[in-house]
Every structure is written in structure tokens, then in C-alpha cells.
Amino acid sequence: MTNTQQLIHAVTEADSPARMVAAVQNLAAAKDAAAIPTLIAVFGYNNPPAAVAALTGLTELGEAAVPQLLAQIDDYNYGARAYSIRALAAIADPRALDVLLAAATTDFAPSVRRAAAKGLGNLCWQKLDIPERHTAQERALQGLLAISQDSDWSIRYAAVVGLQALAKVPDLQESIRSRFEEMLATDVEEAVRARVRLAQTHAIDCLSFAR
Amino acid sequence: MIEPGAEEYSAENAPPLTPEQAIANLQSPDISLRYYAAWWLGKFRIKSSEAVDALIAALEDEADRTELGGYPLRRNAARALGKLGHAKAIPGLIKCLECSDFYVREAAAQSLEMLRNPMAAPALMQLLEGGVEAAVQVPGRPHLTQPYEAVIEALGAIGATEAVPIIQPFLEHSVPRVQCAAARAMYQLTQDPMYGERLVKMLESSTLQLRRVAVGDLGAIGYMAAADAIANATVENSFKLIALKGLLESQLKQELDSSVLCNNAIKVMNLMDSLL
């Protein structure tokens, strides 16, 4: 057995929550693409510290983990799904756009939707060719604008975080600026309005940096 | 100590009602329709005078009884009145604190907490009579003699400083959730960080349920010193976000210049961002 196979074996054989965490941490530290399916499976074990270790490991593996993360999203376990979406959001590969959009706008679990909203603003757009990039950015914008009107304050909050990141794209700044103004005037939650104010100060920094 | 099944409805599976229908249904011969209408009026925050009056009348309902002598309609009416925020419900809710049904007393105390009117303090303090010695489990029931958690939290929210000496002993009550309620109220009434720190300590409890309660309490009192501890607590992110929102709101209230966000508010938002 290779070293990675042994580490995978240790995860499958772990017989206590603490041993599971240690085994996942060791496997994640190996930074071997062969570990990807096992790390994704850990999201479904209902062991939050182990899931966080797997999330870190997958994020460090980056792009290599994206196809399997996209293919292995757990439609029946929203806890596991939230970790997958977090991993995709952190890796920020634009191939995740469709999955993040669907999660942000149609998932029933707020934890999944918030993670997706944050991720939508942060994708590495430069990995896409120009015409494709514009379409993708526009779709992310429309998705975030839509959920910025959700009835759940925490979803609107996450939408503001996503929009703040998306405001780095010059073409989208006008729409985002006017949506922020609108939210500042109409949102019933003080916490959401405060987050809009913080986003506006960031947007100003970003604009002056661009100039 | 939420009554089992108290939140069994959701907006999605609810049959469509109008406010007028719901108010009329409070007098329906079908008692299950009355029960449902009372919940519906609270859920959808129907704040009209007619709705409030009809719910106040329902606090005296005699028709809807459980095998154990409980008053289901009164419970729902009391819960709804807290959500509607109308001060004219206060006398009726105070009267409910003497109801024979534990869950009516609990719902009334929770609603009086939301209404935050000092008028309710003496009646709430009455329920703490006998102190910790009287605060024991009722044989065969899943609750104590009084809804201590709700009563103590209400006194804290109302700002009833005169209740400090009678709340303080409850910090040593055998039920950890009651201890949390006492620490929360003591902090609100004295602003002494010692009580906030007691709640922070509870975040290390081995029971998830209790950690959630402590996170919620810290959010409710806006205890800024707990921001990092909340973000690192082992509870679901949704609970942490709600608690940090409580901290954020209490920071924003203290802001003098509303055009500039203070560093504490920014710190809390950065923590919230990391939990998305």
C-alpha cells in the first residue's frame, strides 16, 4: 500500500470521533489527489471537526478537487452539502458557477445558500475567456441581486458579502452600487444595513485602487 | 422548555387564511380552527386592533382543554400577543401568569419579555417566590414548578433591577438552563462582565443544547467580549450568526455618529462573514 492508501485506510477504520479527526487531518496533510473522494465522504460523517479538516485539505488541493466536488454533492444531506459548497467557494474555480447559482437560489438549507452566495462573488473570473467571462459575471450578479431580496436576513447578509466581492468587476459596479443604496433605504434589518455600509466602504477602496 | 409541538406549523403547509377569517375563526365552533387561527395571527404579525382584542379575549378561553387540564388556545393566544407588540395585551398576560396551566404561564412570561413593560415586573417576581428551594421538578412532568427561565429572562429584559436579589440565587440552580437565564438577566440588570463570563464558560459545556442556549444568551445581551468565543463555539453556524447579529445590533445602538461604523461593529461583521 502507498502512504496515501494507508492514510485512507486509517480514516475508514477510525473507531472514535477523535481518531477520525486525527486520521482526516493526516490524510489532508498528505496533499494527494488520491485522497479527494475520501475527504469528500467525510462531509457526510456528521463530525464537524473532521469535516473542517477535510474542507481545509480539499481547499489546499484546489482545482484538482473541483470535478469530484461537483459530481459528489450530497443531495440528501444538507450538512454535507454545505461543506461541499464551502469548499467550492474557497477554491473559487469558475466551473462551480452553475452549482453555486443553483445552491444560492433554490436550496432549502440556509447554511448552503449562504455559503454559495459568498462564493458567487469570489470566483476567479480570469480563468474564463472574455465573452464567457462576461456572461458568467452577469449571471452571478443576477443571482445575487435576486437573493438580496430574500425574506431571511442571513441570506440577504450573505448576498451583500457576495456583491461586495463582485463589485471588483468594473462593469457590474453601477448595478451593485444602486442595489446597495436601495437596501440601505429599505432593509428592515439593522445588521444587513450595517453590512451594506461596510461593503460600500470597501467598494470605495476598490474604485480608488482601480484608478 | 418549549411545549412539544408548539411550532409544528410552518407557513408553507398552512391553509390560506385572511386576517378577517382568522379573527372570525377564533370564535369558531371547531376548536382546532381557533387554535390554528391564534397561531396564524402571531405568525403573520396581524397587528390590527381587532386581532389584538380577539386574542386578548382568547386568553380566557374555557372550551379548549387537554386531558391534563391545559389550555391550548390560551397558550397560542399568549404567544401571539407577544409577537404583536401591543401594550394593551399586558394586563391579560399578567393575569395568565396565575393560570393553572404551566405552558400558559410560560407563554405569558415569554410574551411579557417581548413587550418589555415594567408594569409586569411585580407579577413576574411573584413567580420566583420560594426561591431556588421551590424551583423543583413537578413529579411526572417535564418541567419545573414555574417557567423560571422565561420569568427570569423577562425580568432581565424589562430592566427590573429590583429583582436582582431574588434572581441572583438562581445562578446556582441545579438546572443549567436556569443558571444561563439568571446569568443573562444579571448581566442585563448590572452590566457586570462577571455574568457575561459565566455564559462564555457555558460554551465549553459538553451538551450541544446548552452550548446553543449560551450562544443565544450572549447574543441577546450583546456581550461584545464574547465575539471570538461565539465564533469559535462548537454549535451550528446559524446559531452563531444570530448571536453575532445580536452583538452587532447592540454595538450599532451605541454608535454616536451613525455615518461611521465603529471598530467593534466591523470586527463582528468580519466574524459573521467567516461563518457564511
Side-chain angles (χ1 to χ4, degrees):
Chain A
M1 275 205 284
T2 66
N3 183 36
T4 304
Q5 279 169 328
Q6 283 168 8
L7 293 171
I8 290 172
H9 190 67
V11 171
T12 53
E13 294 293 293
D15 54 4
S16 76
R19 282 203 190 109
M20 169 66 73
V21 176
V24 174
Q25 282 169 341
N26 292 336
L27 179 60
K31 299 195 181 160
D32 184 341
I36 291 169
T38 310
L39 292 174
I40 295 173
V42 171
F43 292 161
Y45 292 174
N46 194 23
N47 180 332
V52 168
L55 174 61
T56 311
L58 287 162
T59 307
E60 283 168 355
L61 283 164
E63 275 182 46
V66 171
Q68 292 177 76
L69 275 167
L70 290 173
Q72 288 181 43
I73 286 183
D74 191 336
D75 290 328
Y76 299 98
N77 177 343
Y78 68 86
R81 201 157 67 243
Y83 284 112
S84 286
I85 296 293
R86 271 193 202 108
L88 289 165
I91 296 168
D93 187 305
R95 283 175 289 173
L97 176 65
D98 287 332
V99 163
L100 292 180
L101 262 178
T105 54
T106 63
D107 207 284
F108 77 91
S111 56
V112 174
R113 301 185 64 195
R114 290 190 297 257
K118 185 183 181 187
L120 275 177
N122 257 328
L123 295 173
C124 298
W125 307 109
Q126 65 276 12
K127 287 186 182 169
L128 298 172
D129 295 333
I130 295 285
E132 208 188 344
R133 189 188 303 174
H134 286 315
T135 328
Q137 288 169 340
E138 185 61 30
R139 290 178 62 213
L141 173 70
Q142 293 308 325
L144 287 170
L145 290 177
I147 62 165
S148 74
Q149 311 191 34
D150 200 86
S151 60
D152 178 340
W153 73 269
S154 72
I155 304 290
R156 300 200 301 281
Y157 184 102
V160 174
V161 174
L163 287 168
Q164 173 187 315
L166 207 56
K168 289 186 197 115
V169 179
D171 290 351
L172 307 182
Q173 277 164 1
E174 202 42 58
S175 311
I176 294 170
R177 207 197 326 260
S178 70
R179 179 61 191 139
F180 280 169
E181 287 300 327
E182 208 171 26
M183 292 180 85
L184 214 46
T186 59
D187 203 288
V188 292
E189 289 288 348
E190 210 178 352
V192 174
R193 295 199 304 271
R195 190 62 188 80
V196 170
R197 283 158 63 196
L198 183 60
Q200 286 175 325
T201 64
H202 278 276
I204 290 164
D205 292 347
C206 173
L207 273 176
S208 48
F209 183 73
R211 271 166 195 166
Chain B
M1 274 176 253
I2 296 294
E3 176 197 3
E7 285 291 336
E8 65 199 278
Y9 304 117
S10 75
E12 286 74 37
N13 59 30
L17 272 182
T18 62
E20 295 70 32
Q21 245 174 331
I23 292 164
N25 281 1
L26 281 177
Q27 317 253 357
S28 164
D30 180 346
I31 41 183
S32 72
L33 284 184
R34 293 191 207 180
Y35 182 76
Y36 178 75
W39 171 83
W40 191 92
L41 289 166
K43 166 77 187 171
F44 293 101
R45 306 282 195 282
I46 308 301
K47 298 188 179 182
S48 70
S49 201
E50 293 78 14
V52 174
D53 291 339
L55 286 166
I56 290 172
L59 292 176
E60 316 235 350
D61 173 80
E62 287 292 349
D64 190 4
R65 305 294 302 266
T66 68
E67 314 81 73
L68 289 166
Y71 291 94
L73 177 59
R74 292 191 193 188
R75 296 172 191 170
N76 269 5
R79 288 183 192 118
L81 284 165
K83 294 179 180 151
L84 303 187
H86 235 290
K88 74 175 160 180
I90 290 167
L93 289 170
I94 288 175
K95 214 172 146 209
C96 284
L97 293 175
E98 295 172 7
C99 182
S100 58
D101 179 358
F102 172 91
Y103 294 112
V104 172
R105 300 198 299 277
E106 182 180 57
Q110 287 166 340
S111 287
L112 288 166
E113 174 183 355
M114 292 191 242
L115 295 172
R116 293 180 190 225
N117 189 303
M119 225 162 81
L124 286 163
M125 285 166 69
Q126 206 115 61
L127 295 193
L128 301 184
E129 208 154 282
V132 176
E133 293 75 47
V136 294
Q137 192 86 19
V138 177
R141 304 300 320 268
H143 57 70
L144 304 174
T145 43
Q146 295 293 354
Y148 291 96
E149 263 178 87
V151 168
I152 291 170
E153 283 180 13
L155 287 165
I158 286 171
T161 44
E162 66 274 28
V164 162
I166 61 168
I167 291 173
Q168 193 159 30
F170 284 89
L171 290 165
E172 310 303 332
H173 191 275
S174 59
V175 176
R177 293 181 68 133
V178 175
Q179 294 172 22
C180 284
R184 166 175 164 162
M186 288 300 290
Y187 181 80
Q188 287 173 312
L189 299 175
T190 66
Q191 294 297 307
D192 186 334
M194 172 174 97
Y195 300 112
E197 291 307 317
R198 272 176 175 257
L199 290 168
V200 172
K201 233 185 168 135
M202 289 279 192
L203 296 178
E204 286 157 30
S205 154
S206 57
T207 10
L208 172 62
Q209 200 66 12
L210 203 56
R211 296 196 299 271
R212 286 180 183 155
V213 169
V215 162
D217 286 338
L218 286 163
I221 62 175
Y223 186 59
M224 186 60 205
D228 291 303
I230 292 169
N232 292 321
T234 30
V235 303
E236 298 84 341
N237 285 359
S238 299
F239 288 88
K240 300 188 207 181
L241 281 171
I242 293 170
L244 290 171
K245 176 175 177 253
L247 261 55
L248 176 58
E249 286 167 350
S250 100
Q251 285 304 311
L252 295 170
K253 265 190 206 100
Q254 294 165 26
E255 262 178 27
L256 296 173
D257 176 2
S258 63
S259 65
V260 189
L261 290 163
C262 68
N263 287 335
N264 277 344
I266 293 173
K267 180 197 160 104
V268 173
M269 286 190 271
N270 286 334
L271 289 171
M272 290 172 77
D273 288 6
S274 73
L275 295 167
L276 298 176

